[in-house]
Amino acid sequence: MFSLLRLLPPRNFKSISKVSPLQRWIHRTFSSAAASLQHISHIVDFKVLFHSCTTVNVTKQLHALLLVLGKAQDVVLFTKLVTLYATLGDLSLSSATFKHIRRKNIYTWNSMVAAYVRCGRYRDSMDLVSELLSIPGTVRPDFYTFPPVLKACVHLVDGEKIHCWVLKMGFEHDVYVAASLIHLYSRFGVVGAAHKVFVDMPVRDVGSWNAMISGLCQNGNAAEALGVLDRMKAEGVKMDTVTVSSVLPVCAQLNDVVSGVLIHLYVIKHGLESDVFVCNALINMYSKFGRLQDAQMVFDAMKVRDLVSWNSVIAAYEQNNEPVTALEFFKGMQFVGTQPDFLTVVSLASIFGQLSDWLIGRAVHGFVIRRGWLEEDVVIGNALVNMYAKLGSIDSAHVVFEQLPVRDVISWNTLITGYAQNGLASEAIDAYNMMGECRTIVPNQGTWVSILPAYSHVGALQQGMKIHGRLIKNCAYLDVFVATCLIDMYGKCGRLEDAMSLFYEIPRETSVPWNAIISSLGIHGHGEEALQLFKDMLSEGVKADHITFISLLSACSHSGLVDEGQWCFDMMQKEYGIKPNLKHYGCMVDLFGRAGNLEKAYDLVSNMPVQADASIWGALLAACRIHGNAELGTFASDRLLKVDSENVGYYVLISNIYANVGKWEGVVKVRSLARDRGLRKTPGWSSVVIGNVVEVFYAGNQTHPQCTEIYKELRVLIAKMKSLGYVPDYSFVLQDVEDDEKEQILTSHSERLAIAFGIISTPPKSPIRIFKNLRVCGDCHNATKYISKITERNIIVRDSNRFHHFKDGICSCGDYW
DNA sequence: TTAGGGTTAG
């Protein structure tokens, strides 16, 4: 518009600033001087004017000018306006302009069709093409008509119909039309049809290759996509920005760092790094590789950044567990005035979940509600369910889940995982069963990865095996994450042999399955084998990570392998540069403490660079109990109750230490402390599987149909145990009651009920497997040794820590629990 | 004057 203003005489120019809007002014000025109109329409370069139309308002002014200049029937200029309005997002002006053009040519029709597609009005674009086909005359669809319509078909279901039109008119070999067809078929998952269009093309340009490559990628055929890329290169077609931005996600998916970096070099060499799509794809790829520095380097070098760039860099830090840095980038995004979209908020939800920031997490939820995004996309709802689950607020997670207008398989997976990770295994199983009732939901890899740990947790071997059977049918068990869950399930359900044989069946290039099998060996007390497997892992060239060392250190600690544990701990730091975290320190304190080296354990706690938490003091306290060190025990319990005064299990431990050294006043003190604080114990339960039925017992259960028989069996057992020297250890009872009542309380502990039920429900001498959700009680541990001797049975108890194999009066754990 | 193929997700 400014080039036009410069043409005007200064006398009139003066009045412009006062007489606004421009449209009115133009009308008055020019209609009074028809000669000037002619003059101006000759010298004004409309192309330049179109170029400066960057907003709807300016375009409206140009539109008015064209009308004033008597150009209303200039089909070329008005066709341009149709496109321009649509590009600027004003479809109603676009279609109004279209309707006013009397002598529409094919350019006009094509522009309107494309305008509808650009603004997401797919059905209207189809209707317009039908209208065009139905009107008699010489205006017929051409090469240009179909690519936008085919794009519309991606969102509709008329793809086949349009392909027929295309074939009928003989347009299928046009490179633009063919690329759209390939894209369309790929989007509908019909890769074969897409490929046929591709191979039938007599001439292919880079766009054709791009369509085929991205089509393959979007259907999960990543390796094939790279194959097509190689063929493209072999035919001498050069990659452009579109090729690069389609292929980089493939490198990320295949974890192919070498190809990814080579393509990055190509980008630099060919000057493609000014393309926003390319840079965004690079950021995402480096993020998936975990190479945050490279991702940030690309981001920093970008001259133009769009919403996707910011989302990508925020997600990069969020997904690599650096929520604080991610948040800084979010602030940077706000600083430059880029408005967040729902994907930004998906990252934010995860960030505040990771940061355990409940208040801001809720604010994010409120923001989503105000924007109405929950109704728009299921992804954002799932992100909120996940956020609340991570914040430990599983009830809120459930409420959001219930309110979701649409639930997909990921909504269910997120809920199941949420329950499982908050220790609510049976709720997770209930959710999984409810999901099974929704016919529209097909479980996927994520479902198995969420439900199997819940089964492991409660020891539901049968159900776990049922899933294994289902997965064998479609080879889904070969997926390394699913297989790892199965290994873990077999390990935790006492089937170590099955865990081992599955381990040797599956691909094991990453540390993930190794960590699971090492951990399984550990909880079964097979420390030596765990170490051997660790050595095998290294000789197979698999890189150990911090989880490997947690599995390994805990295996050493369960088996009392002090020197070996120390060796691993040193190697982890020196050779792998892994800084020990609280879990590693916890294992080491356990290891030294259990072996009786309390001084070393205490030294480690005192010299840790991180603040000791309850698990560390708990480990030290447990060691003090085993070795009867009341002095250090008192100190540790003091510290322990400062960091966690809510866990009643610790009070039991402390009371037990005092009792063992005869400090009865200490026992009384701890009991009253527990009572005054109103601590309620996490309900302990034990389960035993009889046939296919899982029987669950809570302490003091009186409601089981075979209750009378169970207690009768227990009375018989107690009498025999006492004759063999069993003395009940009342220090495991926190209630302040008489001794005979304490004995009664111990006798009705859940593990003992489960064992008694196992004895009366299975043939003599057959093994009994028990699961307990907490650590097995010390007195029950002692009692079970006697029971295994009296009944000549193997009794296998899995508690929250490890397996205890009781046989002939001895426990595999060496009385450490 | 009109057109294709591309980057971010729970």
Side-chain angles (χ1 to χ4, degrees):
Chain A
M1 289 309 286
F2 294 106
S3 56
L4 176 68
L5 297 180
R6 259 183 254 119
L7 293 170
L8 301 169
R11 184 168 47 86
N12 292 335
F13 187 68
K14 244 184 185 174
S15 59
I16 306 172
S17 53
K18 291 178 189 164
V19 190
S20 212
L22 187 56
Q23 199 179 326
R24 227 163 50 215
W25 170 80
I26 289 167
H27 185 77
R28 242 188 303 136
T29 312
F30 291 107
S31 58
S32 61
S36 307
L37 276 181
Q38 274 299 317
H39 176 66
I40 284 186
S41 60
H42 275 115
I43 42 177
V44 169
D45 183 350
F46 288 105
K47 271 190 203 152
V48 175
L49 289 187
F50 270 103
H51 213 71
S52 58
C53 288
T54 48
T55 65
V56 174
N57 270 341
V58 175
T59 313
K60 275 168 149 177
Q61 290 171 1
L62 174 63
H63 192 159
L65 179 63
L66 291 174
L67 290 173
V68 169
L69 293 174
K71 298 274 183 192
Q73 286 313 311
D74 185 322
V75 67
V76 174
L77 291 177
F78 277 76
T79 299
K80 261 188 171 296
L81 273 180
V82 169
T83 303
L84 193 53
Y85 277 130
T87 315
L88 297 170
D90 198 324
L91 190 68
S92 49
L93 278 174
S94 177
S95 75
T97 310
F98 172 77
K99 282 179 189 142
H100 280 101
I101 302 174
R102 237 180 292 154
R103 301 177 66 181
K104 301 179 181 72
N105 60 23
I106 187 57
Y107 296 100
T108 324
W109 286 92
N110 288 346
S111 299
M112 193 63 235
V113 169
Y116 276 130
V117 174
R118 188 169 290 137
C119 297
R121 295 265 292 267
Y122 307 113
R123 181 52 64 191
D124 290 316
S125 76
M126 300 286 289
D127 292 346
L128 198 66
V129 176
S130 301
E131 192 186 330
L132 171 62
L133 286 165
S134 68
I135 53 168
T138 51
V139 184
R140 308 275 19 115
D142 65 0
F143 292 134
Y144 285 84
T145 317
F146 288 102
V149 183
L150 288 167
K151 206 176 188 178
C153 292
V154 168
H155 304 271
L156 304 167
V157 279
D158 310 44
E160 291 263 6
K161 190 168 108 191
I162 300 291
H163 193 181
C164 289
W165 288 354
V166 168
L167 289 174
K168 214 157 73 186
M169 298 188 166
F171 291 158
E172 76 274 22
H173 294 319
D174 175 80
V175 282
Y176 282 76
V177 175
S180 306
L181 273 172
I182 293 167
H183 177 68
L184 176 71
Y185 280 124
S186 304
R187 283 295 289 266
F188 282 115
V190 201
V191 188
H195 195 247
K196 187 170 180 334
V197 176
F198 180 73
V199 293
D200 286 349
M201 290 176 78
V203 182
R204 293 184 201 103
D205 70 353
V206 64
S208 328
W209 291 94
N210 291 344
M212 195 64 245
I213 290 169
S214 67
L216 286 167
C217 301
Q218 278 156 17
N219 284 283
N221 303 330
E224 271 182 66
L226 285 188
V228 175
L229 180 73
D230 285 340
R231 288 212 322 266
M232 169 180 155
K233 284 186 200 154
E235 289 193 18
V237 181
K238 282 202 166 154
M239 294 197 287
D240 68 357
T241 54
V242 179
T243 326
V244 169
S245 33
S246 320
V247 160
L248 288 176
V250 181
C251 301
Q253 202 186 318
L254 297 174
N255 204 24
D256 188 343
V257 182
V258 175
S259 299
V261 173
L262 283 176
I263 293 175
H264 191 180
L265 291 175
Y266 178 94
V267 165
I268 295 166
K269 193 175 161 197
H270 293 82
L272 306 181
E273 74 259 63
S274 56
D275 187 270
V276 181
F277 282 77
V278 168
C279 291
N280 294 346
L282 280 169
I283 295 170
N284 285 301
M285 180 188 73
Y286 281 127
S287 158
K288 296 245 165 67
F289 291 159
R291 294 167 66 135
L292 287 173
Q293 281 183 334
D294 292 320
Q296 189 168 338
M297 199 178 69
V298 175
F299 180 83
D300 288 343
M302 287 172 83
K303 291 200 177 67
V304 181
R305 298 183 186 117
D306 66 0
L307 176 61
V308 179
S309 322
W310 287 102
N311 283 350
S312 303
V313 76
I314 291 168
Y317 281 98
E318 173 254 306
Q319 284 169 6
N320 285 285
N321 303 316
E322 291 195 26
V324 177
T325 319
L327 209 51
E328 274 164 23
F329 276 99
F330 174 65
K331 286 177 190 155
M333 174 184 179
Q334 286 180 307
F335 185 74
V336 297
T338 304
Q339 286 301 310
D341 72 346
F342 84 98
L343 282 180
T344 325
V345 177
V346 165
S347 290
L348 284 180
S350 174
I351 288 168
F352 296 120
Q354 286 180 45
L355 291 172
S356 303
D357 197 326
W358 210 81
L359 268 181
I360 303 187
R362 275 187 66 90
V364 171
H365 187 181
F367 181 80
V368 170
I369 292 173
R370 282 195 297 280
R371 294 277 172 120
W373 284 345
L374 268 179
E375 280 71 36
E376 264 178 48
D377 207 301
V378 63
V379 174
I380 186 94
N382 296 346
L384 288 177
V385 174
N386 187 40
M387 179 188 81
Y388 280 121
K390 288 261 157 47
L391 290 170
S393 177
I394 193 68
D395 291 336
S396 304
H398 189 235
V399 169
V400 177
F401 176 85
E402 287 291 333
Q403 289 171 348
L404 291 180
V406 181
R407 296 179 198 114
D408 65 2
V409 62
I410 296 177
S411 321
W412 284 97
N413 295 351
T414 311
L415 185 72
I416 296 168
T417 309
Y419 278 128
Q421 289 181 348
N422 281 283
L424 301 165
S426 47
E427 281 82 353
I429 294 166
D430 289 345
Y432 171 72
N433 292 335
M434 272 163 68
M435 172 184 168
E437 288 164 19
C438 303
R439 292 214 178 137
T440 48
I441 305 285
V442 182
N444 63 10
Q445 184 231 30
T447 316
W448 314 128
V449 172
S450 61
I451 188 63
L452 284 169
Y455 284 153
S456 309
H457 191 249
V458 295
L461 177 68
Q462 296 296 326
Q463 284 93 327
M465 285 174 77
K466 212 166 124 187
I467 289 186
H468 189 185
R470 190 171 167 174
L471 296 174
I472 286 172
K473 283 183 197 149
N474 56 7
C475 287
Y477 76 102
L478 291 175
D479 174 276
V480 69
F481 292 103
V482 175
T484 301
C485 290
L486 284 168
I487 290 171
D488 183 69
M489 188 272 295
Y490 281 120
K492 289 204 175 122
C493 291
R495 296 287 195 102
L496 194 54
E497 304 76 24
D498 293 310
M500 285 298 277
S501 60
L502 181 59
F503 172 75
Y504 284 111
E505 262 182 77
I506 59 153
R508 39 177 200 278
E509 290 97 22
T510 64
S511 63
V512 178
W514 291 92
N515 296 348
I517 196 72
I518 290 172
S519 161
S520 293
L521 286 164
I523 57 170
H524 282 271
H526 299 280
E528 302 276 2
E529 284 101 319
L531 275 166
Q532 184 52 51
L533 239 79
F534 174 63
K535 287 170 191 160
D536 293 350
M537 171 179 178
L538 298 184
S539 66
E540 287 191 23
V542 180
K543 200 175 168 225
D545 58 18
H546 72 281
I547 299 171
T548 316
F549 286 102
I550 292 173
S551 310
L552 204 54
L553 293 175
S554 107
C556 290
S557 122
H558 285 322
S559 299
L561 302 170
V562 183
D563 294 341
E564 292 82 347
Q566 179 77 63
W567 172 73
C568 294
F569 192 63
D570 294 341
M571 176 159 86
M572 172 177 97
Q573 295 171 73
K574 284 181 195 142
E575 284 183 35
Y576 288 82
I578 298 172
K579 263 205 305 198
N581 63 27
L582 278 170
K583 289 207 170 136
H584 298 112
Y585 282 115
C587 292
M588 291 309 286
V589 171
D590 224 28
L591 182 73
F592 292 138
R594 184 191 175 210
N597 204 336
L598 291 173
E599 208 170 303
K600 212 165 174 181
Y602 175 66
D603 270 356
L604 191 66
V605 179
S606 321
N607 295 318
M608 277 173 11
V610 278
Q611 187 86 36
D613 69 350
S615 72
I616 302 278
W617 292 116
L620 189 61
L621 190 64
C624 293
R625 187 198 62 77
I626 297 166
H627 297 286
N629 188 331
E631 199 188 340
L632 187 56
T634 311
F635 175 78
S637 59
D638 232 37
R639 295 302 179 95
L640 178 58
L641 296 183
K642 278 200 179 94
V643 286
D644 182 0
S645 57
E646 300 293 312
N647 188 330
V648 80
Y650 294 139
Y651 291 82
V652 180
L653 208 55
I654 299 165
S655 132
N656 188 245
I657 289 176
Y658 287 132
N660 283 349
V661 292
K663 288 192 171 179
W664 300 106
E665 71 282 1
V667 176
V668 172
K669 206 174 115 196
V670 172
R671 278 182 188 153
S672 63
L673 209 60
R675 193 188 51 229
D676 293 348
R677 291 189 178 165
L679 293 181
R680 261 190 289 149
K681 207 174 164 186
T682 310
W685 56 260
S686 299
S687 67
V688 57
V689 182
I690 305 295
N692 278 334
V693 182
V694 182
E695 299 273 356
V696 179
F697 293 91
Y698 287 86
N701 182 304
Q702 304 277 346
T703 56
H704 193 274
Q706 281 165 276
C707 193
T708 321
E709 289 94 323
I710 292 170
Y711 282 102
K712 191 178 152 203
E713 177 65 27
L714 281 171
R715 277 195 299 276
V716 173
L717 281 172
I718 293 255
K720 287 186 187 166
M721 281 152 61
K722 282 189 174 165
S723 71
L724 288 174
Y726 163 74
V727 182
D729 186 341
Y730 298 142
S731 67
F732 286 100
V733 180
L734 270 191
Q735 292 94 327
D736 206 358
V737 289
E738 295 302 316
D739 280 3
D740 57 340
E741 203 174 329
K742 282 179 189 160
E743 183 174 333
Q744 189 55 40
I745 289 171
L746 288 174
T747 308
S748 59
H749 270 178
S750 68
E751 47 268 63
R752 250 177 275 183
L753 299 178
I755 291 171
F757 185 66
I759 292 171
I760 60 173
S761 313
T762 54
K765 298 192 183 176
S766 60
I768 299 172
R769 292 169 188 275
I770 306 291
F771 290 84
K772 169 144 184 153
N773 65 333
L774 307 172
R775 287 228 187 163
V776 67
C777 148
D779 188 63
C780 288
H781 189 271
N782 190 26
T784 311
K785 290 200 291 187
Y786 284 97
I787 297 172
S788 73
K789 194 174 177 69
I790 293 163
T791 59
E792 296 178 44
R793 286 183 188 245
N794 284 350
I795 303 175
I796 301 118
V797 180
R798 192 203 92 188
D799 68 5
S800 60
N801 188 38
R802 59 165 294 157
F803 274 88
H804 303 260
H805 293 254
F806 295 90
K807 191 181 174 186
D808 201 21
I810 297 170
C811 179
S812 62
C813 80
D815 295 349
Y816 175 69
W817 65 93

